[in-house]
């Protein structure tokens, strides 16, 4: 049964990989500049490097592009800053923007700066970004870069643009949907097609999370004997925590991590601190490829093999300590977990991000 399930996953993963539209991976400044220049936005094209230098670089991007004439009117404006303040991390279609509440604020590629989405009260088909109308929607869209043309005067966003006036945050699940799509595309490109498909299968469970840390096994490792991962994906997902490699290194031994399996948890069996997650192990398995894919809401770390399920720990009052055997070339004593990371889902997130 296990082999049949694996074959189905491989077949479906191959189908989705083959049918996926070709998309650039982490658009470069040269690529962004070429796209903007071909659309007639010469001034913005010269500042394309500012997007790849942003803390949220890597794409996908939605660019609300003012004309060269609009930019020239603002003589004191920095074109690089104008581009960052008119670019959103993620893919935002015009149809999606129309579903947002009047006055919704969206944080841009310039940290702490938000653009405001409004519409004409008499003609709801007209959309405005910071007061400038989107008069040429969907000029470009390849799944990673979206460009909408703006008409009207533009200027720099104020320092408190994310809190001035009525704040209408984008629902967290909407951002999570975009980030799931982004992660799936990148995973297929990176040799994790089976995991990319698994994220699609588990979409309903993942879309409602605030963020997630995923531990993945690449296609080659699954085909070489890691079939258990296919049926145990939920056990490899830590919900409502975005744990980058440096965050994992700081976790002390015996830290308990929740999983989508509910009562089944992961444990830090060996603390990190040795660099590149050496010799850190979770459930006795070493992380071989930290931060394979990461965006605003999801981070994926690569494993050499699936996590085993740890045996029940001995009672706290027991003075004996039994070696649990060698796993991944490492022997360790199973100790009762003493530190537990609680889910951030318990925090009332009223303002999105």
């Amino acid at each position: 049964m296990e082999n049949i399930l694996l074959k189905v996953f491989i077949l479906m993963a191959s189908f989705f990989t083959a049918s996926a539209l070709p998309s650039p991976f982490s658009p470069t400044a040269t690529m962004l500049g070429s796209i903007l220049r071909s659309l007639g936005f010469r001034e913005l094209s010269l500042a394309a490097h500012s997007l790849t230098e942003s803390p949220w670089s890597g794409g996908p991007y939605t660019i609300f592009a003012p004309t060269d004439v609009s930019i020239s009117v603002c003589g004191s404006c920095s074109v690089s800053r104008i581009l960052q303040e008119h670019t959103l991390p993620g893919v935002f279609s015009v149809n999606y923007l129309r579903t947002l509440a009047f006055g919704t604020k969206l944080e841009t590629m310039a940290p702490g700066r938000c653009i405001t989405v409004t519409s004409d009260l008499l003609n709801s088909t007209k959309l405005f970004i910071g007061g400038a109308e989107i008069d040429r929607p969907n000029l470009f869209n390849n799944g990673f870069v979206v460009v909408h043309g703006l008409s009207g005067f533009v200027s720099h966003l104020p320092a408190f643009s994310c809190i001035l006036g009525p704040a209408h945050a984008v629902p967290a699940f909407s951002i999570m949907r975009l980030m799931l799509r982004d992660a799936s595309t990148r995973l297929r490109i990176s040799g994790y097609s089976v995991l990319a498909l698994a994220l699609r299968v588990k979409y309903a469970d993942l879309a409602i999370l605030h963020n997630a840390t995923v531990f993945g096994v690449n296609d080659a490792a699954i085909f070489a004997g890691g079939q258990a991962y296919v049926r145990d994906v939920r056990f490899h997902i830590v919900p409502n925590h975005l744990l980058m490699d440096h965050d994992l290194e700081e976790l002390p031994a015996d830290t308990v991590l929740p999983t989508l399996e509910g009562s089944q948890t992961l444990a830090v069996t060996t603390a990190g601190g040795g660099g590149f997650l050496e010799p850190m192990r979770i459930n006795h398995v070493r992380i071989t490829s930290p931060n394979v894919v990461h965006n605003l809401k999801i981070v994926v770390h690569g494993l050499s093999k699936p996590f085993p399920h740890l045996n029940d720990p001995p009672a706290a009052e027991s003075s004996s300590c039994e070696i649990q055997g060698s796993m991944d070339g490492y022997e360790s004593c199973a100790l009762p977990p003493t530190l537990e990371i609680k889910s951030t889902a318990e925090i009332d997130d009223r303002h999105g991000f």
Side-chain angles (χ1 to χ4, degrees):
M1 181 64 183
E2 181 178 292
N3 289 334
I4 295 176
L5 181 61
L6 177 61
K7 289 178 181 178
V8 171
F9 260 79
I10 295 173
L11 179 62
M12 293 180 68
S14 300
F15 170 77
F16 282 111
T17 302
S19 61
L21 293 176
S23 300
F25 177 68
S26 295
T28 63
T30 301
M31 183 184 302
L32 291 169
S34 177
I35 292 171
L36 291 169
R37 189 165 47 254
S38 68
L39 296 174
F41 301 106
R42 180 174 176 76
E43 291 292 333
L44 293 181
S45 70
L46 298 176
H49 62 86
S50 64
L51 294 185
T52 57
E53 295 170 356
S54 167
W56 289 350
S57 62
Y61 304 111
T62 296
I63 302 173
F64 300 98
T67 64
D68 289 353
V69 174
S70 296
I71 294 175
S72 65
V73 173
C74 185
S76 61
C77 287
S78 161
V79 180
S80 294
R81 186 173 157 191
I82 285 288
L83 179 56
Q84 287 188 340
E85 293 176 343
H86 286 75
T87 301
L88 300 176
V91 176
F92 290 81
S93 67
V94 168
N95 289 336
Y96 175 75
L97 292 171
R98 287 197 179 102
T99 67
L100 302 179
F102 185 94
T104 292
K105 295 179 181 298
L106 302 173
E107 189 167 7
T108 67
M109 294 289 288
R113 300 295 199 277
C114 290
I115 55 175
T116 304
V117 182
T118 56
S119 59
D120 189 336
L121 297 179
L122 298 179
N123 185 357
S124 59
T125 61
K126 289 187 176 182
L127 283 174
F128 299 87
I129 299 296
E133 182 184 353
I134 301 178
D135 64 337
R136 291 176 293 164
N138 302 318
L139 288 176
F140 184 87
N141 187 345
N142 66 354
F144 262 70
V145 179
V146 178
V147 180
H148 303 300
L150 294 182
S151 66
F153 177 75
V154 295
S155 61
H156 288 313
L157 298 172
F160 301 102
S161 54
C162 290
I163 58 176
L164 288 175
H168 300 278
V170 180
F173 72 86
S174 298
I175 300 298
M176 190 62 173
R177 282 191 318 208
L178 296 172
M179 295 300 103
L180 278 170
R181 176 183 174 184
D182 171 49
S184 294
T185 301
R186 296 183 183 213
L187 285 168
R188 287 198 299 269
I189 297 172
S190 304
Y192 289 78
S193 295
V194 175
L195 175 56
L197 176 60
L199 294 185
R200 295 171 67 102
V201 174
K202 304 297 182 184
Y203 176 83
D205 295 327
L206 296 171
I208 60 175
L209 299 178
H210 181 68
N211 45 39
T213 298
V214 181
F215 296 98
V217 177
N218 64 29
D219 298 341
I222 290 177
F223 302 157
Q227 295 93 336
Y229 183 80
V230 175
R231 67 169 185 270
D232 224 6
V233 172
R234 290 171 58 90
F235 183 58
H236 291 73
I237 299 176
V238 178
N240 298 310
H241 294 287
L242 192 67
L243 300 171
M244 303 296 288
D245 55 349
H246 58 271
D247 298 314
L248 293 173
E249 285 186 354
E250 295 176 358
L251 297 178
D254 306 324
T255 298
V256 174
L257 301 173
T259 73
L260 277 183
E261 283 295 357
S263 60
Q264 299 183 35
T265 58
L266 300 171
V268 177
T269 47
T270 306
F276 296 101
L277 297 180
E278 281 284 4
M280 181 192 184
R281 284 173 168 77
I282 296 177
N283 282 35
H284 303 291
V285 176
R286 183 169 61 88
I287 297 174
T288 56
S289 303
N291 303 341
V292 171
V293 167
H294 63 90
N295 54 36
L296 296 179
K297 294 289 184 179
I298 299 169
V299 59
V300 179
H301 302 294
L303 305 174
S304 59
K305 63 181 183 180
F307 286 137
H309 290 263
L310 298 180
N311 296 329
D312 293 333
E317 62 272 12
S318 173
S319 59
S320 62
C321 182
E322 297 180 0
I323 298 296
Q324 298 299 311
S326 176
M327 295 185 183
D328 196 30
Y330 182 76
E331 292 187 349
S332 175
C333 215
L335 299 176
T338 57
L339 177 64
E340 181 176 1
I341 291 185
K342 295 184 178 180
S343 170
T344 56
E346 302 175 57
I347 300 176
D348 188 7
D349 182 10
R350 297 179 182 274
H351 303 292
F353 66 83

